[in-house]
Amino acid sequence: VRAPRLRGAWQARRPDYAQRRDDLRRLRAALKARLTRMAEAIAADFGHRPRQESLLADGMPVLAAIDHLLAHLRGWMRPQRVAAGWRLWPARAQLRHEPLGVVGVISPWNYPVNLALVPLATAIAAGNHVYLKPSESTPATSRLLRELLAEVFPAERVAVAQGGPEVGQAFAALPFDHLVFTGSTAVGRKVMAAAAEHLTPLTLELGGKSPAIVCADYPPERAAARLATGKWFNAGQTCIAPDYVLLVGRQRREAFVQALRAEVTSRYGDLSGEAGDYARIIDERQFARLQAWLDEAHARGCTVLPLAAGHDPARRLFAPTLVLDPPEDIALMREEIFGPILPVLAVDSLEQAIAFVNARPRPLALYPFSHDRRQVEAVLGSVLAGGVTVNDTLLHFAATGLPFGGVGPSGMGAYHGRAGFDAFGKLLPVLWQPRRSLTDRIRPPYAAIDRLIDLIVR
């Protein structure tokens, strides 16, 4: 019922610049006023998540994205002049950015505000109406989003659908003008199949096994510090978290492992206590999945190293854990981990590391660590990924001018900034023809235009 109402309202009055700007400003103000409540709602859904992680990863990126949209909106909306070519002179050509209509957004549970509101705000900036389906795994945050959006937007401009997988399946099958889905590759295939009925254009933000390659020249202590942030932020429940590490130089493994252990100790201490700075696993099902994968690694004889005490299923507290040189056929190496388990594989050369990555589906993120520009370029020139941060983790996601999106099994299309603005609209090519036109001369009998053809093909 809501989708036709959204479309009818959009057709009756397409949002102009003033409305888009006003909508974005009010959305920003409404979220800013609720940042504390937002962090509380996310913590309630997770069982516990540090307030600072929710502010850093859910609140601030949305505010930064809206600021970027506001700063560039007028320029992005302005028609762009392009060359028509001398053969069509004196015609002039332009590209006009036109909104599509109604954009559907299916958002996940791991960053339930960021991954709902950034695509929503971008679609609003592009002149669309939006129908949002937040995750059923974060009910408190979904209620907050529904309340926030109802305050900012009339129901015929932004609507929220709530419910479980059956609602999500029906939602994906609606005849949207564009559909954004963020989640697992397996569910992404189902969303794509449902959208195919209406040939709905898609932006799929999926996952996959994002590798870190630590080259032989890079200090293991510094690599450990930056990988610890990327891996154990939100207890590893991040689509661009380092999924495994390829450490160039087998002799450096012990130093690297000890550096990771030291980082976990200094950051979290003994998790048997309050563990206030460490997030919990979202639900029992995800905890059981991670535990089963770790049990498989144990059963296959892998070296499994818990880096902190306090592993507690009752609190869904899954301690940071390393698995050293696991076989390639266990679940930890076949599937995206999406948790605080980090496989570390020692390799003999950078070439071996590159070959290992390229033998697998293209990842959403790639993290090469080296101070040698030639080695970094060798990685960038050989491995195709959705996005890259060199000598660090996660931060390419936060760069407002960079598009965010996967490739192949890790995703389709991109958003963030101008890329999202273009994805949620149509670049309409327009040719303005003056009084005289080439077509005036292209008419039978065609023998009369042989000289014109000779002139054009010279």
Side-chain angles (χ1 to χ4, degrees):
V1 174
R2 292 178 180 177
R5 184 169 63 180
L6 290 164
R7 186 180 304 283
W10 180 84
Q11 290 173 335
R13 184 178 181 273
R14 298 188 184 189
D16 58 12
Y17 170 76
Q19 181 181 303
R20 299 183 204 185
R21 187 172 182 83
D22 182 61
D23 285 345
L24 291 172
R25 284 175 166 172
R26 289 185 294 107
L27 178 60
R28 190 189 195 283
L31 176 61
K32 184 179 179 182
R34 288 173 170 81
L35 287 176
T36 298
R37 287 182 56 201
M38 178 203 75
E40 292 170 350
I42 294 173
D45 286 328
F46 275 74
H48 174 73
R49 192 167 86 171
R51 175 180 62 86
Q52 295 86 349
E53 289 193 359
S54 293
L55 294 176
L56 284 169
D58 271 292
M60 290 174 55
V62 178
L63 300 180
I66 293 174
D67 290 341
H68 188 73
L69 291 167
L70 287 169
H72 295 279
L73 182 58
R74 187 184 292 276
W76 291 348
M77 290 180 65
R78 187 177 297 121
Q80 307 165 41
R81 289 196 63 178
V82 295
W86 66 267
R87 294 170 179 83
L88 297 180
W89 185 88
R92 56 189 176 90
Q94 64 177 197
L95 288 173
R96 304 171 68 97
H97 191 283
E98 298 295 334
L100 291 172
V102 179
V103 173
V105 177
I106 302 176
S107 59
W109 53 261
N110 60 325
Y111 295 103
V113 173
N114 179 342
L115 298 177
L117 293 188
V118 171
L120 183 146
T122 308
I124 291 294
N128 302 286
H129 290 184
V130 180
Y131 200 2
L132 171 67
K133 166 61 177 74
S135 173
E136 66 275 11
S137 297
T138 49
T141 309
S142 295
R143 288 192 295 271
L144 178 80
L145 286 170
R146 183 175 60 182
E147 172 201 292
L148 182 155
L149 294 171
E151 176 185 297
V152 175
F153 300 100
E156 65 272 12
R157 195 176 307 157
V158 172
V160 178
Q162 293 186 287
E166 69 288 346
V167 174
Q169 184 176 1
F171 188 92
L174 292 172
F176 290 112
D177 297 292
H178 196 99
L179 178 61
V180 185
F181 168 78
T182 305
S184 71
T185 302
V187 178
R189 290 190 177 97
K190 296 178 181 178
V191 169
M192 191 171 186
E197 176 68 23
H198 300 289
L199 297 179
T200 301
L202 291 171
T203 299
L204 298 178
E205 301 301 342
L206 308 177
K209 301 190 70 62
S210 298
I213 301 175
V214 182
C215 295
D217 71 301
Y218 201 85
E221 296 78 14
R222 183 175 298 172
R226 296 179 178 182
L227 286 164
T229 298
K231 182 61 180 181
W232 292 302
F233 192 94
N234 198 29
Q237 297 165 108
T238 305
C239 60
I240 56 171
D243 203 79
Y244 62 96
V245 177
L246 294 166
L247 181 67
V248 180
R250 297 180 186 276
Q251 73 282 1
R252 302 196 311 146
R253 191 179 73 176
E254 184 60 30
F256 182 64
V257 168
Q258 292 308 317
L260 285 170
R261 187 184 298 279
E263 285 295 330
V264 170
T265 300
S266 67
R267 290 162 187 254
Y268 307 116
D270 186 342
L271 297 177
S272 301
E274 182 182 349
D277 288 331
Y278 190 67
R280 307 303 189 258
I281 303 302
I282 185 67
D283 57 32
E284 288 80 4
R285 183 174 65 86
Q286 295 294 335
F287 191 99
R289 173 185 63 81
L290 292 167
Q291 188 63 60
W293 290 3
L294 200 59
D295 292 344
E296 181 193 18
H298 270 293
R300 292 289 299 275
C302 298
T303 300
V304 177
L305 300 176
L307 299 183
H311 190 84
D312 185 0
R315 293 191 292 165
R316 302 198 306 276
L317 195 156
F318 205 108
T321 304
L322 301 183
V323 178
L324 304 185
D325 292 318
E328 298 179 20
D329 62 338
I330 66 172
L332 287 174
M333 294 307 298
R334 296 194 320 268
E335 307 291 339
E336 182 182 9
I337 295 173
F338 222 72
I341 306 169
L342 181 62
V344 177
L345 297 92
V347 295
D348 295 319
S349 66
L350 177 59
E351 292 74 20
Q352 186 179 344
I354 290 171
F356 188 94
V357 176
N358 281 336
R360 285 150 183 80
R362 287 167 169 169
L364 180 59
L366 171 66
Y367 302 115
F369 287 81
S370 177
H371 292 310
D372 185 337
R373 180 66 177 265
R374 292 170 299 179
Q375 293 193 92
V376 174
E377 290 294 343
V379 175
L380 297 179
S382 303
V383 179
L384 185 61
V388 181
T389 296
V390 177
N391 294 334
D392 215 325
T393 60
L394 308 185
L395 295 181
H396 63 282
F397 182 92
T400 53
L402 289 179
F404 176 71
V407 56
S410 62
M412 175 189 300
Y415 70 104
H416 283 195
R418 181 62 188 261
F421 185 84
D422 288 343
F424 303 153
K426 163 65 179 173
L427 281 175
L428 183 67
V430 179
L431 185 78
W432 296 83
Q433 187 59 269
R435 292 183 180 180
R436 290 183 297 168
S437 172
L438 179 65
T439 58
D440 294 336
R441 300 178 63 184
I442 302 177
R443 55 194 301 172
Y446 288 132
I449 64 169
D450 283 341
R451 290 184 62 188
L452 175 63
I453 292 172
D454 290 341
L455 178 64
I456 292 176
V457 300
R458 280 180 184 174

